[in-house]
Amino acid sequence: MSFAQWSIVGVPVAIVSLVLAWLFLCLVFKPEIDVVKGLDSLKDDRKNLPPLRGSELRFTIVFAVMVVMWFVPKKIGIDMYMTTWLGIFVMSLPGMDMVDWKEMNGRIDWSAILICGAATALATVVANLGTGAWLSGILANLFLSRVAGMGLLVLLLVINIMMMVGHYPMPQGVSLAGLCLPVVGALALDLGLNPIAVCLPVCMSTSMLLLVPIDPTCYTTYSGGYWKIKDMMSTGVVITLGYVVVCSVWTAVVAGIGLLG
């Protein structure tokens, strides 16, 4: 699967899901202000900004080159993973000055780092003990093999829901995907389905953890104390179900018109 195929599915799903989530959150949590003041001065400040230079310009150039390389891996002979490592290497070279550790160290919320590390450790233990593989095998035998005959859309809906549920015994997305991809991919091949279409929701759903703040992004905002876990759970259920529908329908459409190979 190429980065272009990933983007064909992922970008529309992300945009639609983001808009729907924003509308729903505005409906549930009424905005506390009617007018955002200071936008005029912000626009003036933006006009007065100097052109990109120094580390900003270097980062923009490196990242732009990485994006282009992600889209044409076969033509340049460098896969996406090597491109990413090359980008990190270049950004870390002496003289690039892209990260000031002394400045960033004072801004890091170490409690968020610790809870993310604990979640990763838990996922590693589950994976090493074989519990994750055992659970994914049971789920595949109980659900996936039975609903596969109902059509690709139904199968994608079930896979997405399973991934949402699977986040909680294994909150680390990479480990969860590593356990589920072999099972789902093998099932797709056995049923004669496009493995890319079936495996894409597994990868994309690893980032949809919207019921409890054990994801790094969610926990970073939670540590600010502005919202409570019950707020996230009450709205996260609806947003998650909306994402499941959007992702499943769009993936089925893209696969149906042959854009995934």
Side-chain angles (χ1 to χ4, degrees), residues 118-129 131-136 139 161-173 175-177 179-180 209 211-212 214:
T120 302
L122 174 62
T124 303
V125 171
V126 172
N128 290 339
L129 291 177
T131 308
W134 174 70
L135 287 174
S136 61
L139 291 174
I161 293 175
M162 285 177 54
M163 292 300 297
M164 299 299 109
V165 176
H167 258 305
Y168 300 97
M170 180 165 288
Q172 216 282 331
S175 300
L176 181 62
L179 289 172
C180 296
L209 190 58
L211 297 182
V212 290
I214 53 179

Side-chain angles (χ1 to χ4, degrees), residues 45-135:
D45 292 339
R46 182 179 179 183
K47 292 179 181 179
N48 296 328
L49 285 175
L52 291 176
R53 57 188 177 185
S55 59
E56 295 176 344
L57 180 60
R58 288 191 289 271
F59 173 81
T60 303
I61 294 174
V62 172
F63 186 72
V65 172
M66 289 174 61
V67 171
V68 173
M69 293 175 67
W70 282 336
F71 276 97
V72 290
K74 294 182 179 180
K75 293 184 178 181
I76 62 177
I78 302 176
D79 60 28
M80 293 183 292
Y81 310 104
M82 184 56 67
T83 297
T84 303
W85 282 112
L86 285 174
I88 295 174
F89 173 74
V90 172
M91 292 181 185
S92 304
L93 288 174
M96 296 299 286
D97 297 328
M98 293 189 182
V99 178
D100 187 338
W101 171 248
K102 292 183 179 180
E103 179 182 355
M104 296 302 298
N105 187 37
R107 299 181 179 181
I108 294 176
D109 184 355
W110 289 104
S111 60
I113 301 296
L114 290 174
I115 195 170
C116 293
T120 302
L122 174 62
T124 303
V125 171
V126 172
N128 290 339
L129 291 177
T131 308
W134 174 70
L135 287 174

Side-chain angles (χ1 to χ4, degrees), residues 4-17 200 204 250-251:
Q5 290 174 316
W6 171 272
S7 300
I8 288 173
V9 177
V11 172
V13 169
I15 293 175
V16 173
S17 300
L200 263 177
M204 295 174 61
W250 181 243
T251 304

